[in-house]
Amino acid sequence: MSAADGTNRTPHILYVCWGFPPCRGSGVFRGLATANALADEGFAVTVITADRETFLRNTGADTSLETRVRDDITVVRVPFQWPSNEEELLLWTEDRVKDPAEWLRQWNAACLETFPENRYGAWAPAIIAAAEQVHATTPIDLVICTANPNVACVVGEALHRIHGIPHIVDQRDAWTLNVLTDLVDFPDGTPVAKAERAFIESAAECWYVNEPIRRWYANNYPDHAAKMYVVMNGYDEEFAPTPHRERPPGVGVAREGLTFGYVGTISAAVPLAETFDAWLEARESSPLLARSRAEFWGHLGFFTREEVRLHALFQAATDWDVDYRGPVGKTQIAEVYGSFDVLLFLAARGKYVTSGKVFEYMATGLPIVSAHEPDIAARDVLQGYPLWFQPTDLSPGALSEAMIAAGEAALTTDPVVRQACIDHARQFERSRQLVAPLARLHGLVERHRESQSLRGAR
Amino acid sequence: MLSTRRRYSKRWARELRQSLGLGSRVEIRVLGLTPPNRLLPVSRFYVTDPSNLPYRPCVEAPVRRRRTPPVSLRDRAATAVRGVRNTYLTLVGSDVRDKASHHFAVACGTSRLPKELAQWADVAVAMDDKATLGAVRLAHRVPETPFAFRPGLARRVLQIRGVQLPEIPETPRRVMTQEQVEIAPMPMIADEPIRLLIAPANFAGQAHAWAQVVNQRVQGAAAHNFKNSHAPIHYDNDLAVDESVFATNLQWRRDWRRHVKSSYTHVLIEAGFPIFGLGQSRAIDHARELQASGLRVAMLAHGSDVRIPSIHAANEQWAPYDAMPPELVRAMEIRAQGVVAEMATLEGQCFVSTPGLLEFVPQAVVLPTTISVDRWRSDEPVMHRTVPVVAFAPTSVQKGPQHIDPVLTKLESEGLITYRRVEKVPVAEMPEVYGTADIVVDQIGVADYGVAACEAMAAGRVVVSHVAASVRESVQRTTGHELPIVQADPLSLEAVIRSLLHDREVARAAAAAGPAFVSEVHDGRASAAVLEPWLRS
């Protein structure tokens, strides 16, 4: 492909992603996979992300993830301020000390003035400046910006406005729409709604993690519906659990019981109490479950009233062989999955909720019990998974029946069915989600370069 | 640790080590403003001495109770410091904390001992806001020691500095220990064909009152109320449990669920709350579960559970939301929208406790609030004082205190009224409060009338409030009685009260209509009449 300057320059994509390795947040895997996939596709890739110290100090860091970034990807780190998390007083000014709450309030207000996103808005000018510098060094042909935070998308909108570079908004979740309450948090006319509209209207494509969210945006921006696509998350092959192709050992012989497992963040939004209510009932009804245990792995906070309540629930549930094991790193997760016989899929209510862990769950080939409201987006993903046990509601009776059925399936399901589960999951391997989007990118880049060369010829 | 506390509570001492999150094997030294008033789990305690200008030494204070006699010169010096400290506090007055904190900060910035302490420490912690300035200054003097803004951050700042820390089992700051919570037994209901449970709110004692009404006035029916309580209980309940039990006692939740399904034929779910226990399930989920088990279910709204702020503000000029934090209003909006939606999908009867809520739940029937007229009756003459007493209980921002307080304060400053602002009065004493007032201002903001207004009317007082015309019309239409509440809004409140003060006969007439109205509409008969058709359907 020839550039406007006549050289055969490799198409250059700028990828803006706040949470990039070594960030340890769950969203980092989409960013990592996208950047690597772009480089695999033959693009020259520059990533703009936050500085390492932001992740080391604030979100937690997994430095091993940095080794997974392809060597030919250029990473530009733009310092990110996070004053609410600056715990070291050496970094404070005396002004701040005089009234920390007021100082922070003023900082947040200034942040929102810059860009209407709490905590992240102040990053906007720095990343636009960094992007301009990148473009001045090596012309950019396409910008892809991954939210959250949504401030990342200012780069695409700015470079499009100033230089006519096409950009893609990988919005993932919704912004003006609250996916948990199904209410519009930021109606038309608010700064957030205006910013979102500017992104969508100027973008070449908009990506969302599931169809319900895409549909909501398509309905609210009908003139731009044609450029809205679903680009799902998926499980990452390199971190995927080893599939359980066989039944647990000891089938047909009296055994201790099964291990029901959950992996993921445990928040007040998931139906933990309901799951335990059902667990008690299931153990009363089923001798198999009466000798089974449940393990919960994942991060659980300690400070809010709701989190204290979750801890108390776990405390109470120990009498019924429920164990909270704490957080688990991505590199140990395969081992944890290896110890499970049945998976408990707890998820928040909301028709827009898919929950990233569902893909990993399916990759195990294990029976999955859905402990969530029936009408969530994850249902579209689980549909067709042979060992999916979905109760009609979260009442103890219905959910306990699903648990018992899943437990029995764990003992009786043969390898053929398990293989069918694994085959169903394979379509959700992350790189497969990017095949169609990547194919479209070449066209976008080519059209941009042609328009640039026409402009140059004039 | 750097602290400007003047007193150290038992809880502070007890949670000190846990709050640091560094395990039990940590030595703590404190640099404070005043010597400790109790035994603390620290090895050394130093205090800054504000009396010695410009050089501010720090001295060690004994880590023991104040009454323990000092045993060394240093201890005697610490005692002397305490004496000076107390004197200083007495003389300087209300801004003593800022001045003392300033001195603390100067000491941290100049004195030798704070620097030595910081150099000794692996991590330093500012324990409160006013210690932070001193901590920042000391941090700049000793940059090699990390200074954390709060104890809970001590571990983080050490880890950020690359310090390897032992793993410690993390525990929540507040632990719900159910061993200390007494759980009342589940009550057995009378063996009647109709057995009603009203749960789980009992706002203003209404659920219990309605249950009593059913027991007394509906033939062949018995009723209980149940309350999930997260605060001290002020009203009677047939069963009440602490929220920790309702949320996390799995055995109790299981037993309660079975008890409800086997004991009752009808359940009235209040305020959009789940009744089987806290979790992610909504009231409508539990309603459907009950219906699937063969029970009849109705839902009842009390007030802000369905009063959608965006709708109320659009229709009511004096809606209170501008005076409330936006995030609170947003939360109220989300909740009210949710409850209204649930009531709309319920395949069953809906009730509201006040006529104004029909705007939000139009399919509902008003279940009148019920009070004991005898309990609230007052023989105290009304509007006979030269300077009448005007009572106002600002129990929430939604009552409109920002409109009412200035007016009543102004009238009191003119010597026209005695303003009795009712706060933190036990429920049992409220009949006395209302019964000895002349005028009770109820609220400006919700444009409706509720239990408090009924209580004041039953006491034979003049009740002044802002009630929407639509509500008054609804009352007239359904009861045949005019609502005897004197109308006022923020613009007219002052003039209305002045008018009542001027024309005592008019005021007394308004007051006299109150007991009769409450006896007719809110003594329980009307409530029984509303509930009975549903109970028998």
Side-chain angles (χ1 to χ4, degrees):
Chain A
M1 184 184 293
S2 297
D5 58 8
T7 62
N8 284 327
R9 179 172 58 78
T10 305
H12 182 201
I13 293 183
L14 177 67
Y15 184 57
V16 185
C17 177
W18 182 87
F20 198 73
C23 177
R24 204 184 57 181
S26 57
V28 70
F29 299 100
R30 184 178 179 96
L32 174 61
T34 303
N36 282 342
L38 291 171
D40 283 341
E41 191 68 12
F43 296 106
V45 180
T46 300
V47 173
I48 285 182
T49 183
D51 53 326
R52 298 179 83 251
E53 285 64 38
T54 292
F55 308 124
L56 293 169
R57 286 178 177 277
N58 298 302
T59 64
D62 182 350
T63 52
S64 71
L65 293 176
E66 289 179 293
T67 63
R68 315 260 187 188
V69 179
R70 280 179 57 131
D71 292 336
D72 53 356
I73 292 174
T74 304
V75 180
V76 173
R77 296 195 178 274
V78 178
F80 178 79
Q81 280 184 289
W82 202 328
S84 59
N85 269 24
E86 275 165 10
E87 302 95 354
E88 272 223 54
L89 292 174
L90 194 58
L91 302 172
W92 285 34
T93 62
E94 290 213 3
D95 260 348
R96 182 171 180 180
V97 171
K98 282 173 192 162
D99 191 340
E102 177 60 18
W103 185 94
L104 205 54
R105 192 198 66 75
Q106 288 182 8
W107 189 90
N108 281 327
C111 180
L112 289 172
E113 283 288 313
T114 310
F115 179 80
E117 190 168 29
N118 246 340
R119 186 190 302 161
Y120 299 99
W123 202 44
I127 52 174
I128 293 174
E132 290 275 30
Q133 203 163 353
V134 169
H135 183 60
T137 309
T138 307
I140 297 168
D141 298 301
L142 177 69
V143 182
I144 303 176
C145 304
T146 283
N148 294 326
N150 295 278
V151 69
C153 302
V154 297
V155 172
E157 192 275 331
L159 292 193
H160 175 73
R161 179 170 25 90
I162 301 167
H163 303 290
I165 301 170
H167 76 105
I168 293 175
V169 172
D170 179 15
Q171 198 165 353
R172 288 206 264 193
D173 266 334
W175 190 13
T176 51
L177 168 71
N178 186 317
V179 296
L180 294 180
T181 64
D182 201 3
L183 296 175
V184 174
D185 277 353
F186 305 101
D188 281 345
T190 58
V192 168
K194 287 180 185 172
E196 185 179 76
R197 180 168 289 278
F199 295 158
I200 290 173
E201 288 180 349
S202 61
E205 288 191 11
C206 300
W207 298 350
Y208 304 95
V209 290
N210 61 42
E211 173 58 20
I213 297 177
R214 188 211 67 83
R215 193 180 318 125
W216 187 88
Y217 274 95
N219 289 339
N220 283 274
Y221 295 89
D223 293 343
H224 302 276
K227 65 184 180 189
M228 293 178 173
Y229 298 90
V230 173
V231 179
M232 277 201 286
N233 284 317
Y235 69 88
D236 300 285
E237 194 71 61
E238 54 188 325
F239 304 114
T242 306
H244 292 242
R245 299 181 192 278
E246 302 286 337
R247 287 172 285 189
V251 172
V253 181
R255 55 170 291 161
E256 281 182 4
L258 300 170
T259 301
F260 285 64
Y262 171 88
V263 178
T265 299
I266 300 160
S267 74
V270 300
L272 192 67
E274 287 81 358
T275 302
F276 290 165
D277 288 337
W279 179 251
L280 261 67
E281 188 149 327
R283 286 166 65 91
E284 279 189 7
S285 312
S286 161
L288 173 61
L289 263 68
R291 57 179 192 271
S292 296
R293 50 197 300 272
E295 283 186 10
F296 286 75
W297 293 79
H299 179 74
L300 167 58
F302 298 96
F303 301 110
T304 68
R305 183 189 175 93
E306 291 76 20
E307 287 160 355
V308 170
R309 186 177 297 154
L310 295 177
H311 279 282
L313 271 171
F314 276 115
Q315 234 178 316
T318 52
D319 290 344
W320 285 275
D321 295 319
V322 174
D323 199 9
Y324 171 57
R325 302 296 301 275
V328 59
K330 204 70 173 174
T331 48
Q332 292 96 38
I333 216 166
E335 189 182 333
V336 168
Y337 277 117
S339 66
F340 293 161
D341 301 305
V342 177
L343 289 169
L344 295 168
F345 177 47
L346 279 71
R349 172 186 298 120
K351 63 185 180 192
Y352 303 104
V353 172
T354 302
S355 178
K357 71 175 88 57
V358 70
F359 307 105
E360 206 168 71
Y361 270 33
M362 290 190 294
T364 64
L366 288 172
I368 298 174
V369 178
S370 269
H372 53 76
E373 291 287 323
D375 188 25
I376 72 170
R379 182 187 56 184
D380 298 334
V381 169
L382 284 163
Q383 205 74 49
Y385 186 79
L387 290 177
W388 179 36
F389 297 87
Q390 187 195 21
T392 50
D393 52 56
L394 283 176
S395 64
L399 184 49
S400 64
E401 281 177 13
M403 289 177 177
I404 294 169
E408 286 165 2
L411 290 183
T412 59
T413 303
D414 62 36
V416 171
V417 175
R418 288 179 182 263
Q419 185 60 47
C421 290
I422 295 161
D423 292 341
H424 175 85
R426 196 164 287 124
Q427 65 184 299
F428 299 108
E429 193 274 315
R430 193 186 295 275
S431 64
R432 297 188 178 206
Q433 316 312 311
L434 294 168
V435 168
L438 288 174
R440 292 194 299 271
L441 297 189
H442 291 285
L444 284 172
V445 169
E446 199 170 317
R447 283 193 291 280
H448 170 64
R449 284 189 161 188
E450 279 171 11
S451 73
Q452 291 293 99
S453 70
L454 283 173
R455 213 172 289 168
R458 287 195 214 111
Chain B
M1 291 186 163
L2 295 101
S3 170
T4 61
R5 294 181 80 101
R6 288 162 57 187
R7 294 189 64 81
Y8 296 86
S9 66
K10 283 184 192 172
R11 183 174 173 177
W12 191 94
R14 192 171 59 236
E15 295 181 353
L16 185 60
R17 284 183 185 279
Q18 186 184 341
S19 67
L20 287 171
L22 297 174
S24 57
R25 298 182 60 182
V26 57
E27 184 183 350
I28 302 172
R29 295 182 185 178
V30 179
L31 176 64
L33 205 54
T34 58
N37 57 301
R38 65 178 66 254
L39 199 61
L40 296 178
V42 304
S43 64
R44 299 285 183 102
F45 199 107
Y46 301 89
V47 293
T48 62
D49 175 9
S51 66
N52 189 3
L53 294 169
Y55 174 64
R56 288 176 171 78
C58 302
V59 294
E60 185 170 358
V63 185
R64 60 186 70 251
R65 292 185 186 278
R66 298 178 76 173
R67 289 202 186 91
T68 307
V71 296
S72 68
L73 180 62
R74 201 165 228 194
D75 288 339
R76 285 206 290 275
T79 306
V81 167
R82 275 204 297 278
V84 168
R85 179 95 223 100
N86 290 339
T87 306
Y88 183 76
L89 287 169
T90 305
L91 290 177
V92 174
S94 62
D95 63 346
V96 62
R97 287 197 64 160
D98 285 339
K99 284 198 174 172
S101 302
H102 168 72
H103 295 135
F104 182 84
V106 171
C108 288
T110 59
S111 295
R112 174 186 53 82
L113 193 135
K115 183 175 177 179
E116 286 176 358
L117 278 172
Q119 287 168 334
W120 163 85
D122 295 307
V123 62
V125 180
M127 297 298 289
D128 50 74
D129 281 351
K130 293 196 184 288
T132 309
L133 179 59
V136 168
R137 290 185 180 177
L138 196 49
H140 284 277
R141 295 177 72 195
V142 187
E144 62 270 21
T145 300
F147 277 69
F149 177 43
R150 282 291 178 268
L153 302 172
R155 193 175 176 88
R156 279 176 59 90
V157 300
L158 282 168
Q159 286 172 330
I160 288 168
R161 290 275 189 125
V163 175
Q164 293 298 317
L165 293 170
E167 290 295 321
I168 55 166
E170 298 194 76
T171 53
R173 278 188 178 161
R174 289 167 283 129
V175 177
M176 288 177 173
T177 51
Q178 291 176 28
E179 292 80 15
Q180 294 101 352
V181 176
E182 201 175 312
I183 305 174
M186 295 174 195
M188 300 309 297
I189 194 160
D191 187 18
E192 296 281 5
I194 297 170
R195 302 179 299 280
L196 168 67
L197 175 70
I198 308 176
N202 197 27
F203 292 147
Q206 287 304 293
H208 187 69
W210 289 320
Q212 292 306 302
V213 158
V214 169
N215 285 327
Q216 291 158 10
R217 298 181 184 274
V218 180
Q219 192 75 18
H224 282 155
N225 88 289
F226 160 76
K227 179 169 179 66
N228 160 40
S229 176
H230 58 82
I233 296 172
H234 301 299
Y235 300 96
D236 290 334
N237 294 282
D238 295 299
L239 176 66
V241 294
D242 187 84
E243 189 177 78
S244 65
V245 174
F246 195 64
T248 65
N249 188 317
L250 298 176
Q251 187 151 348
W252 183 90
R253 287 164 66 109
R254 180 186 60 186
D255 294 343
W256 173 241
R257 200 181 219 104
R258 290 175 180 170
H259 176 79
V260 171
K261 289 183 181 178
S262 62
S263 303
Y264 302 98
T265 59
H266 293 70
V267 176
L268 178 56
I269 300 178
E270 300 175 83
F273 290 134
I275 69 158
F276 287 137
L278 291 183
Q280 279 302 301
S281 297
R282 303 159 300 175
I284 190 68
D285 299 318
H286 288 172
R288 289 176 182 147
E289 184 181 335
L290 287 163
Q291 288 170 328
S293 297
L295 280 75
R296 304 298 295 265
V297 180
M299 291 177 75
L300 174 133
H302 277 282
S304 58
D305 41 324
V306 294
R307 190 179 296 116
I308 299 173
S310 58
I311 295 177
H312 188 54
N315 297 329
E316 171 51 51
Q317 182 182 3
W318 308 113
Y321 306 111
D322 286 345
M324 298 168 68
E327 55 274 12
L328 175 58
V329 176
R330 182 76 194 146
M332 291 169 70
E333 176 84 19
I334 291 170
R335 170 154 158 74
Q337 289 224 23
V339 177
V340 166
E342 287 180 42
M343 292 180 83
T345 60
L346 175 72
E347 290 179 8
Q349 181 69 58
C350 290
F351 296 104
V352 292
S353 65
T354 61
L357 299 180
L358 291 171
E359 179 186 1
F360 310 97
V361 193
Q363 76 276 21
V365 170
V366 177
L367 175 60
T369 55
T370 297
I371 68 165
S372 166
V373 179
D374 289 338
R375 178 166 175 252
W376 290 90
R377 184 186 325 246
S378 170
D379 295 326
E380 178 110 353
V382 67
M383 298 301 288
H384 282 277
R385 294 185 178 95
T386 308
V387 180
V389 172
V390 179
F392 169 54
T395 50
S396 88
V397 173
Q398 296 186 75
K399 292 256 182 177
Q402 70 279 17
H403 300 301
I404 297 168
D405 275 331
V407 169
L408 300 185
T409 303
K410 179 185 175 190
L411 292 172
E412 185 175 51
S413 71
E414 293 178 19
L416 295 176
I417 67 168
T418 300
Y419 175 23
R420 187 179 293 162
R421 200 173 198 269
V422 183
E423 294 176 288
K424 296 180 183 174
V425 173
V427 164
E429 294 174 22
M430 283 305 292
E432 170 81 9
V433 170
Y434 279 172
T436 55
D438 295 286
I439 298 173
V440 174
V441 179
D442 183 35
Q443 56 79 31
I444 289 176
V446 298
D448 203 346
Y449 82 102
V451 174
C454 290
E455 291 165 346
M457 284 190 282
R461 310 296 108 182
V462 183
V463 181
V464 177
S465 187
H466 169 52
V467 180
S470 57
V471 171
R472 292 180 184 273
E473 285 159 16
S474 172
V475 170
Q476 178 76 55
R477 189 170 57 247
T478 55
T479 70
H481 297 277
E482 187 180 327
L483 182 65
I485 292 179
V486 178
Q487 173 62 26
D489 60 34
L491 301 178
S492 66
L493 178 62
E494 182 178 340
V496 165
I497 295 183
R498 287 184 187 276
S499 169
L500 290 168
L501 299 176
H502 177 73
D503 194 338
R504 303 287 178 115
E505 285 307 315
V506 166
R508 289 192 197 104
F517 175 81
V518 172
S519 295
E520 272 302 306
V521 182
H522 293 285
D523 73 342
R525 287 174 292 159
S527 307
V530 167
L531 284 171
E532 189 163 357
W534 171 62
L535 291 172
R536 298 199 189 284
S537 64

